[in-house]
Amino acid sequence: MTCYPGFLCGCRCAASRAAALRSLLKYQAAAAASSLLAGLPLPGGFQRRLLTCSQLSPVESLLPSFAAAGFPPQQESSGSPGRGPFALGQQSVSGFALSRLDQRRGRSEGSAGLACGGGFRPSRVVVVAKTTRYEFEQQRYRYAGLSEEDLKQLLALKGSNYSGLLERHHIHTKNVEHVVDSLRNERIEVRLVKRREYDEDTVRWADAVISAGGDGTMLLAASKVFDRFKPVIGVNTDPERSEGHLCLPVRYTYSFPEALQKFYRGEFRWQWRQRIRIYLEGTGINPTPVDLHEQQLSQEQHSRALVNGRFYDQRSEVSGPHLLPVRALNEVFIGESLSSRVNYKSCKPSFKFSLHRASYYEVSVDDGPWEKQKSSGLNVCTGTGSKAWSYNINKVASQAVEEILKIAKKHESLNLPLSRELIQKVTNEYNDSLLYSPEEPKMFFSIREPIANRVFSSSLQRGFFSKVCVRSRCWDACMVVDGGTSFEFNDGAIASILINTEDALRTVLLEE
Amino acid sequence: MTCYPGFLCGCRCAASRAAALRSLLKYQAAAAASSLLAGLPLPGGFQRRLLTCSQLSPVESLLPSFAAAGFPPQQESSGSPGRGPFALGQQSVSGFALSRLDQRRGRSEGSAGLACGGGFRPSRVVVVAKTTRYEFEQQRYRYAGLSEEDLKQLLALKGSNYSGLLERHHIHTKNVEHVVDSLRNERIEVRLVKRREYDEDTVRWADAVISAGGDGTMLLAASKVFDRFKPVIGVNTDPERSEGHLCLPVRYTYSFPEALQKFYRGEFRWQWRQRIRIYLEGTGINPTPVDLHEQQLSQEQHSRALVNGRFYDQRSEVSGPHLLPVRALNEVFIGESLSSRVNYKSCKPSFKFSLHRASYYEVSVDDGPWEKQKSSGLNVCTGTGSKAWSYNINKVASQAVEEILKIAKKHESLNLPLSRELIQKVTNEYNDSLLYSPEEPKMFFSIREPIANRVFSSSLQRGFFSKVCVRSRCWDACMVVDGGTSFEFNDGAIASILINTEDALRTVLLEE
């Protein structure tokens, strides 16, 4: 590793430069660095506190049965004194230091079979329901003081189908009711919430979280769950219109009681979906997350942003590594601003330097040397995310495969019959190679639309890594987590992106 | 073509629906539609007026020599009564109706050889100089009330190299001076301007425009030139750091007088770079362009934006097709907001519906049926742009080619030695197939990161077309022209994107 600029950012005088150099050397010794990075509390009120017995939720107190159900046996947890949930405090502050061990453990989790010992019977469940497109339109036009009749007309004007939207809305609502009723019939306490009512208190109150919507709703539901013992379960409430990779098989949408029975009887397995954590350091960073789903930007928020914006350019202190208060279930994207986050910054006088499309940064993977990059952004995903955006960035079209094979055929004058089947087979096999298990504690890194020329190389384009460090050279960029939370990421900021199996999200695998 | 929703947008009652249907049928008759779309003036003060002799610039009055230099012979111009520049008025309002003929003419232009009759001797030249990164940083920190010393320190803090930036700045400045001096030595009147001073009056004043910077500066320079007789010439002022596809060969950066002599002697050929025009119609459209290079968002601009924003959701009138006051030299990109354009909208209460990453729209190419699409955006480029963003969207990495060939080899148990050379040869040939001549009047359309699932097909992924219509289903999207100018493009808006050879940009081809 040539150099780790992060630790040199703070140097104003020789003395502190020396100090910085010392911390650099310290950093280079992985273990030291680990403890150094890991000691930090999670900002935003997400500090993991040492749990006491009284604080244990029914789910947590089911610990033994978890083991049978594929929960990582505590004795593997790197000789930390604690055992079971009581040790969470220590474990979670052991950051990097644990991550290697964690990863081994992660693999053992991955290999846990479908055989299920103990069952799972929550007593308090929060159901997070998505906002349907119909509700969205309604909010929008209500805000503009229009009636239902106007809404109908306006949708017609736009060529949208009012009754179609209404139908989808009813289907969703029916399915949500089915889930809620099934839970209540089992005397399970239920809180039905929308995005805006879904907060940390609600999560704390619940033994389990059920997302009722599509994958977007599942990402939202997961985004507030930092307790690795709290299961998050997805129900796809509009199977005809949404994919629902992260949800239970579609049949349980219509027969949710069956799913509940399987939970009770332990006829399922826990799936530990690995998540990515991010440490942010350097100059001009702002570890405050911004919710991109935010339903409304209020005037006062806006003025606040204006003020922040005003003084933005004067923020020049160097900050040490902050562990960001989010965990990425799908991916971390770094690049040109593609989010309402920018909106806030609009309000600062901004001097645009280059076209916004291209982002400039330096990248170091697995502590390798720093490489200059110019592209439309970087994507670092989990196994879960390998089916999402990362897949769309990296997959090839059969059209391209056909042309590539034709060219090779011509050059080598091969006797290669280019049948539709062959082309499709090759395309599928290539694209499938981009996918991997959500439980594997590794990240897939890819550069989006790399720009190679005399000035910028693009030797490093994609691959599996366990640590990615990115140093921003952008002017108006952000780091977006699961397309839902965004952080400023401008020149001078450095992100360390890695997987710590402590962060895994607990979900449920049910057979079809 | 199943239906053209644009003309149905306006229907509130049966009567007007009938009227709309009539205009729909009318639209379906291409010719009728053409004249209908083309009659519109260019908003934003870009109306082409009928030129009178006195208005002719020295360049324009050189018409005969243009013919020799590859200028399209007027008699081909579809029997429009006018001849030469005097006919521009009629020609330019003939829009669609001419476009087929224009395209044929475009090809003949393309085939015009390097043989050059008359020379080219401008008497008034505007030189548009880029803002260097050093100047940018300076502006930025000056704004924050910091001294040059502070600037040095801050750049160091960020790991940027102050003296490096300063050196690049000096190289650029030296090269700009060289160009300006060479012109003045030839008694050519010169106006040296920066982005902010570069306006329509300056363009009108000049016989020719010289961009001094990289391709970005060339795009800026071209963006204000609507007179097909006014040449725009690019000089790459930092060849070591920028590619300069759109600029003269690098040697002329250092020996510009030589270039001038060749212009005089006609030892060059005019290159007519085709450009894309856009017609926008539907609901909630706003044909006002926003300059993404804008150096500063003033407070009052900002409040204006706030007000527009406030009432945005109530804008519901249907507008007929507007010819937008821009021409795309590289490309038109439609998709998620990736620009300061969004900044303005931040200030409107916005209800975010879906994750910002994916854009929804319907596409019809060459008047074919409408197809639902979900992706990270659409790119429609010219031959010039086929070397730019479009190339980065569509090119394949040798890494991918290698894997594809391996898979094919395995399936067909081929005797195919996968040498580095073969892989590189195939990769290059595939990627080269994405490039085409700037003079060809055709567009390359590609879908960026298409999302295919049970719900959205992605059969249509890329190809050459002469007309692309896009209907927005996005909530926070924009249409970005050459990465420099942006237009709102939200649900209900419809864009018709095509090439009209009337819009070609006149540039110069010099041999190395």
PDB file of all heavy atoms in Angstrom, chain A residues 39-63:
ATOM      1  N   GLY A  39     -13.125   1.422  17.680  1.00  0.00           N
ATOM      2  CA  GLY A  39     -13.506   1.980  18.980  1.00  0.00           C
ATOM      3  C   GLY A  39     -14.639   2.987  18.897  1.00  0.00           C
ATOM      4  O   GLY A  39     -15.315   3.258  19.871  1.00  0.00           O
ATOM      5  N   LEU A  40     -14.852   3.496  17.688  1.00  0.00           N
ATOM      6  CA  LEU A  40     -15.814   4.593  17.556  1.00  0.00           C
ATOM      7  C   LEU A  40     -17.251   4.152  17.789  1.00  0.00           C
ATOM      8  O   LEU A  40     -17.651   3.081  17.350  1.00  0.00           O
ATOM      9  CB  LEU A  40     -15.704   5.171  16.141  1.00  0.00           C
ATOM     10  CG  LEU A  40     -14.365   5.823  15.846  1.00  0.00           C
ATOM     11  CD1 LEU A  40     -14.148   5.888  14.354  1.00  0.00           C
ATOM     12  CD2 LEU A  40     -14.331   7.200  16.460  1.00  0.00           C
ATOM     13  N   PRO A  41     -18.025   4.981  18.465  1.00  0.00           N
ATOM     14  CA  PRO A  41     -19.447   4.677  18.639  1.00  0.00           C
ATOM     15  C   PRO A  41     -20.176   4.910  17.315  1.00  0.00           C
ATOM     16  O   PRO A  41     -19.664   5.604  16.434  1.00  0.00           O
ATOM     17  CB  PRO A  41     -19.906   5.700  19.673  1.00  0.00           C
ATOM     18  CG  PRO A  41     -19.008   6.881  19.427  1.00  0.00           C
ATOM     19  CD  PRO A  41     -17.676   6.291  19.028  1.00  0.00           C
ATOM     20  N   LEU A  42     -21.336   4.314  17.164  1.00  0.00           N
ATOM     21  CA  LEU A  42     -22.165   4.592  15.993  1.00  0.00           C
ATOM     22  C   LEU A  42     -22.881   5.912  16.221  1.00  0.00           C
ATOM     23  O   LEU A  42     -23.608   6.044  17.210  1.00  0.00           O
ATOM     24  CB  LEU A  42     -23.200   3.484  15.816  1.00  0.00           C
ATOM     25  CG  LEU A  42     -22.701   2.111  15.359  1.00  0.00           C
ATOM     26  CD1 LEU A  42     -23.534   1.028  16.010  1.00  0.00           C
ATOM     27  CD2 LEU A  42     -22.801   1.993  13.859  1.00  0.00           C
ATOM     28  N   PRO A  43     -22.698   6.886  15.341  1.00  0.00           N
ATOM     29  CA  PRO A  43     -23.425   8.152  15.531  1.00  0.00           C
ATOM     30  C   PRO A  43     -24.923   7.921  15.331  1.00  0.00           C
ATOM     31  O   PRO A  43     -25.338   6.831  14.985  1.00  0.00           O
ATOM     32  CB  PRO A  43     -22.869   9.058  14.429  1.00  0.00           C
ATOM     33  CG  PRO A  43     -21.723   8.327  13.815  1.00  0.00           C
ATOM     34  CD  PRO A  43     -21.892   6.882  14.140  1.00  0.00           C
ATOM     35  N   GLY A  44     -25.668   8.984  15.574  1.00  0.00           N
ATOM     36  CA  GLY A  44     -27.110   8.940  15.273  1.00  0.00           C
ATOM     37  C   GLY A  44     -27.874   8.053  16.228  1.00  0.00           C
ATOM     38  O   GLY A  44     -28.876   7.453  15.894  1.00  0.00           O
ATOM     39  N   GLY A  45     -27.372   7.936  17.463  1.00  0.00           N
ATOM     40  CA  GLY A  45     -28.150   7.209  18.476  1.00  0.00           C
ATOM     41  C   GLY A  45     -28.209   5.721  18.218  1.00  0.00           C
ATOM     42  O   GLY A  45     -29.089   5.033  18.694  1.00  0.00           O
ATOM     43  N   PHE A  46     -27.274   5.219  17.438  1.00  0.00           N
ATOM     44  CA  PHE A  46     -27.305   3.783  17.164  1.00  0.00           C
ATOM     45  C   PHE A  46     -26.321   2.998  18.044  1.00  0.00           C
ATOM     46  O   PHE A  46     -26.043   1.853  17.765  1.00  0.00           O
ATOM     47  CB  PHE A  46     -27.006   3.517  15.688  1.00  0.00           C
ATOM     48  CG  PHE A  46     -28.131   3.898  14.792  1.00  0.00           C
ATOM     49  CD1 PHE A  46     -27.911   4.759  13.726  1.00  0.00           C
ATOM     50  CD2 PHE A  46     -29.408   3.434  15.023  1.00  0.00           C
ATOM     51  CE1 PHE A  46     -28.946   5.115  12.888  1.00  0.00           C
ATOM     52  CE2 PHE A  46     -30.453   3.797  14.180  1.00  0.00           C
ATOM     53  CZ  PHE A  46     -30.220   4.642  13.115  1.00  0.00           C
ATOM     54  N   GLN A  47     -25.734   3.674  19.070  1.00  0.00           N
ATOM     55  CA  GLN A  47     -24.773   2.964  19.922  1.00  0.00           C
ATOM     56  C   GLN A  47     -25.352   1.637  20.392  1.00  0.00           C
ATOM     57  O   GLN A  47     -26.475   1.584  20.860  1.00  0.00           O
ATOM     58  CB  GLN A  47     -24.390   3.792  21.163  1.00  0.00           C
ATOM     59  CG  GLN A  47     -23.392   4.905  20.868  1.00  0.00           C
ATOM     60  CD  GLN A  47     -24.079   6.179  20.439  1.00  0.00           C
ATOM     61  OE1 GLN A  47     -25.243   6.119  20.056  1.00  0.00           O
ATOM     62  NE2 GLN A  47     -23.395   7.287  20.505  1.00  0.00           N
ATOM     63  N   ARG A  48     -24.576   0.577  20.218  1.00  0.00           N
ATOM     64  CA  ARG A  48     -24.991  -0.728  20.765  1.00  0.00           C
ATOM     65  C   ARG A  48     -24.690  -0.715  22.259  1.00  0.00           C
ATOM     66  O   ARG A  48     -23.553  -0.544  22.662  1.00  0.00           O
ATOM     67  CB  ARG A  48     -24.176  -1.839  20.099  1.00  0.00           C
ATOM     68  CG  ARG A  48     -24.569  -2.154  18.686  1.00  0.00           C
ATOM     69  CD  ARG A  48     -25.328  -3.487  18.628  1.00  0.00           C
ATOM     70  NE  ARG A  48     -25.645  -3.825  17.232  1.00  0.00           N
ATOM     71  CZ  ARG A  48     -24.742  -4.276  16.380  1.00  0.00           C
ATOM     72  NH1 ARG A  48     -23.500  -4.461  16.760  1.00  0.00           N
ATOM     73  NH2 ARG A  48     -25.085  -4.568  15.142  1.00  0.00           N
ATOM     74  N   ARG A  49     -25.716  -0.834  23.058  1.00  0.00           N
ATOM     75  CA  ARG A  49     -25.452  -0.863  24.499  1.00  0.00           C
ATOM     76  C   ARG A  49     -25.383  -2.312  24.954  1.00  0.00           C
ATOM     77  O   ARG A  49     -25.960  -3.188  24.321  1.00  0.00           O
ATOM     78  CB  ARG A  49     -26.547  -0.094  25.237  1.00  0.00           C
ATOM     79  CG  ARG A  49     -27.864  -0.501  24.739  1.00  0.00           C
ATOM     80  CD  ARG A  49     -29.007   0.409  24.809  1.00  0.00           C
ATOM     81  NE  ARG A  49     -30.197  -0.398  24.504  1.00  0.00           N
ATOM     82  CZ  ARG A  49     -30.292  -1.138  23.385  1.00  0.00           C
ATOM     83  NH1 ARG A  49     -29.296  -1.222  22.529  1.00  0.00           N
ATOM     84  NH2 ARG A  49     -31.376  -1.850  23.159  1.00  0.00           N
ATOM     85  N   LEU A  50     -24.675  -2.551  26.046  1.00  0.00           N
ATOM     86  CA  LEU A  50     -24.586  -3.892  26.617  1.00  0.00           C
ATOM     87  C   LEU A  50     -25.990  -4.281  27.077  1.00  0.00           C
ATOM     88  O   LEU A  50     -26.625  -3.564  27.840  1.00  0.00           O
ATOM     89  CB  LEU A  50     -23.626  -3.874  27.819  1.00  0.00           C
ATOM     90  CG  LEU A  50     -22.561  -4.957  27.794  1.00  0.00           C
ATOM     91  CD1 LEU A  50     -21.682  -4.754  26.552  1.00  0.00           C
ATOM     92  CD2 LEU A  50     -21.675  -4.872  29.032  1.00  0.00           C
ATOM     93  N   LEU A  51     -26.523  -5.372  26.597  1.00  0.00           N
ATOM     94  CA  LEU A  51     -27.891  -5.745  26.956  1.00  0.00           C
ATOM     95  C   LEU A  51     -27.919  -6.363  28.351  1.00  0.00           C
ATOM     96  O   LEU A  51     -26.989  -7.042  28.757  1.00  0.00           O
ATOM     97  CB  LEU A  51     -28.429  -6.762  25.946  1.00  0.00           C
ATOM     98  CG  LEU A  51     -28.526  -6.241  24.518  1.00  0.00           C
ATOM     99  CD1 LEU A  51     -28.962  -7.357  23.600  1.00  0.00           C
ATOM    100  CD2 LEU A  51     -29.509  -5.098  24.432  1.00  0.00           C
ATOM    101  N   THR A  52     -29.000  -6.114  29.038  1.00  0.00           N
ATOM    102  CA  THR A  52     -29.193  -6.798  30.335  1.00  0.00           C
ATOM    103  C   THR A  52     -30.349  -7.768  30.129  1.00  0.00           C
ATOM    104  O   THR A  52     -31.146  -7.606  29.196  1.00  0.00           O
ATOM    105  CB  THR A  52     -29.600  -5.790  31.424  1.00  0.00           C
ATOM    106  OG1 THR A  52     -30.930  -5.339  31.100  1.00  0.00           O
ATOM    107  CG2 THR A  52     -28.667  -4.589  31.437  1.00  0.00           C
ATOM    108  N   CYS A  53     -30.435  -8.753  30.999  1.00  0.00           N
ATOM    109  CA  CYS A  53     -31.476  -9.783  30.837  1.00  0.00           C
ATOM    110  C   CYS A  53     -32.837  -9.154  30.605  1.00  0.00           C
ATOM    111  O   CYS A  53     -33.540  -9.471  29.667  1.00  0.00           O
ATOM    112  CB  CYS A  53     -31.528 -10.651  32.092  1.00  0.00           C
ATOM    113  SG  CYS A  53     -31.017 -12.325  31.692  1.00  0.00           S
ATOM    114  N   SER A  54     -33.169  -8.151  31.436  1.00  0.00           N
ATOM    115  CA  SER A  54     -34.505  -7.560  31.359  1.00  0.00           C
ATOM    116  C   SER A  54     -34.756  -6.959  29.977  1.00  0.00           C
ATOM    117  O   SER A  54     -35.875  -6.836  29.535  1.00  0.00           O
ATOM    118  CB  SER A  54     -34.636  -6.475  32.423  1.00  0.00           C
ATOM    119  OG  SER A  54     -33.718  -5.429  32.091  1.00  0.00           O
ATOM    120  N   GLN A  55     -33.659  -6.579  29.290  1.00  0.00           N
ATOM    121  CA  GLN A  55     -33.840  -5.930  27.981  1.00  0.00           C
ATOM    122  C   GLN A  55     -34.043  -6.951  26.870  1.00  0.00           C
ATOM    123  O   GLN A  55     -34.323  -6.587  25.752  1.00  0.00           O
ATOM    124  CB  GLN A  55     -32.603  -5.084  27.649  1.00  0.00           C
ATOM    125  CG  GLN A  55     -32.514  -3.810  28.475  1.00  0.00           C
ATOM    126  CD  GLN A  55     -31.198  -3.119  28.232  1.00  0.00           C
ATOM    127  OE1 GLN A  55     -30.139  -3.680  28.506  1.00  0.00           O
ATOM    128  NE2 GLN A  55     -31.253  -1.924  27.691  1.00  0.00           N
ATOM    129  N   LEU A  56     -33.829  -8.210  27.182  1.00  0.00           N
ATOM    130  CA  LEU A  56     -33.885  -9.222  26.114  1.00  0.00           C
ATOM    131  C   LEU A  56     -35.303  -9.388  25.607  1.00  0.00           C
ATOM    132  O   LEU A  56     -36.247  -9.524  26.385  1.00  0.00           O
ATOM    133  CB  LEU A  56     -33.364 -10.563  26.636  1.00  0.00           C
ATOM    134  CG  LEU A  56     -31.851 -10.656  26.795  1.00  0.00           C
ATOM    135  CD1 LEU A  56     -31.471 -12.061  27.219  1.00  0.00           C
ATOM    136  CD2 LEU A  56     -31.160 -10.284  25.509  1.00  0.00           C
ATOM    137  N   SER A  57     -35.451  -9.369  24.321  1.00  0.00           N
ATOM    138  CA  SER A  57     -36.777  -9.595  23.749  1.00  0.00           C
ATOM    139  C   SER A  57     -37.013 -11.101  23.698  1.00  0.00           C
ATOM    140  O   SER A  57     -36.061 -11.876  23.762  1.00  0.00           O
ATOM    141  CB  SER A  57     -36.807  -9.054  22.329  1.00  0.00           C
ATOM    142  OG  SER A  57     -36.072  -9.933  21.502  1.00  0.00           O
ATOM    143  N   PRO A  58     -38.268 -11.516  23.609  1.00  0.00           N
ATOM    144  CA  PRO A  58     -38.575 -12.949  23.509  1.00  0.00           C
ATOM    145  C   PRO A  58     -37.703 -13.632  22.448  1.00  0.00           C
ATOM    146  O   PRO A  58     -37.184 -14.712  22.671  1.00  0.00           O
ATOM    147  CB  PRO A  58     -40.040 -12.953  23.110  1.00  0.00           C
ATOM    148  CG  PRO A  58     -40.581 -11.677  23.666  1.00  0.00           C
ATOM    149  CD  PRO A  58     -39.457 -10.687  23.595  1.00  0.00           C
ATOM    150  N   VAL A  59     -37.512 -12.956  21.330  1.00  0.00           N
ATOM    151  CA  VAL A  59     -36.701 -13.575  20.275  1.00  0.00           C
ATOM    152  C   VAL A  59     -35.311 -13.866  20.808  1.00  0.00           C
ATOM    153  O   VAL A  59     -34.804 -14.976  20.731  1.00  0.00           O
ATOM    154  CB  VAL A  59     -36.577 -12.635  19.070  1.00  0.00           C
ATOM    155  CG1 VAL A  59     -35.835 -13.337  17.942  1.00  0.00           C
ATOM    156  CG2 VAL A  59     -37.935 -12.207  18.595  1.00  0.00           C
ATOM    157  N   GLU A  60     -34.709 -12.809  21.425  1.00  0.00           N
ATOM    158  CA  GLU A  60     -33.336 -12.970  21.902  1.00  0.00           C
ATOM    159  C   GLU A  60     -33.252 -14.097  22.920  1.00  0.00           C
ATOM    160  O   GLU A  60     -32.305 -14.881  22.927  1.00  0.00           O
ATOM    161  CB  GLU A  60     -32.831 -11.644  22.482  1.00  0.00           C
ATOM    162  CG  GLU A  60     -32.537 -10.638  21.380  1.00  0.00           C
ATOM    163  CD  GLU A  60     -32.624  -9.197  21.841  1.00  0.00           C
ATOM    164  OE1 GLU A  60     -33.216  -8.957  22.912  1.00  0.00           O
ATOM    165  OE2 GLU A  60     -32.125  -8.322  21.120  1.00  0.00           O
ATOM    166  N   SER A  61     -34.303 -14.206  23.757  1.00  0.00           N
ATOM    167  CA  SER A  61     -34.221 -15.213  24.815  1.00  0.00           C
ATOM    168  C   SER A  61     -34.383 -16.624  24.257  1.00  0.00           C
ATOM    169  O   SER A  61     -34.238 -17.599  24.958  1.00  0.00           O
ATOM    170  CB  SER A  61     -35.281 -14.937  25.886  1.00  0.00           C
ATOM    171  OG  SER A  61     -36.544 -14.903  25.261  1.00  0.00           O
ATOM    172  N   LEU A  62     -34.672 -16.705  22.956  1.00  0.00           N
ATOM    173  CA  LEU A  62     -34.792 -18.033  22.316  1.00  0.00           C
ATOM    174  C   LEU A  62     -33.422 -18.538  21.859  1.00  0.00           C
ATOM    175  O   LEU A  62     -33.340 -19.469  21.081  1.00  0.00           O
ATOM    176  CB  LEU A  62     -35.702 -17.931  21.081  1.00  0.00           C
ATOM    177  CG  LEU A  62     -37.210 -17.963  21.313  1.00  0.00           C
ATOM    178  CD1 LEU A  62     -37.926 -17.681  20.005  1.00  0.00           C
ATOM    179  CD2 LEU A  62     -37.630 -19.324  21.856  1.00  0.00           C
ATOM    180  N   LEU A  63     -32.357 -17.886  22.341  1.00  0.00           N
ATOM    181  CA  LEU A  63     -31.027 -18.136  21.773  1.00  0.00           C
ATOM    182  C   LEU A  63     -30.715 -19.591  21.440  1.00  0.00           C
ATOM    183  O   LEU A  63     -30.381 -19.893  20.293  1.00  0.00           O
ATOM    184  CB  LEU A  63     -29.939 -17.554  22.671  1.00  0.00           C
ATOM    185  CG  LEU A  63     -28.591 -17.449  21.949  1.00  0.00           C
ATOM    186  CD1 LEU A  63     -28.722 -16.474  20.800  1.00  0.00           C
ATOM    187  CD2 LEU A  63     -27.504 -17.020  22.889  1.00  0.00           C
TER     188      LEU A  63
END
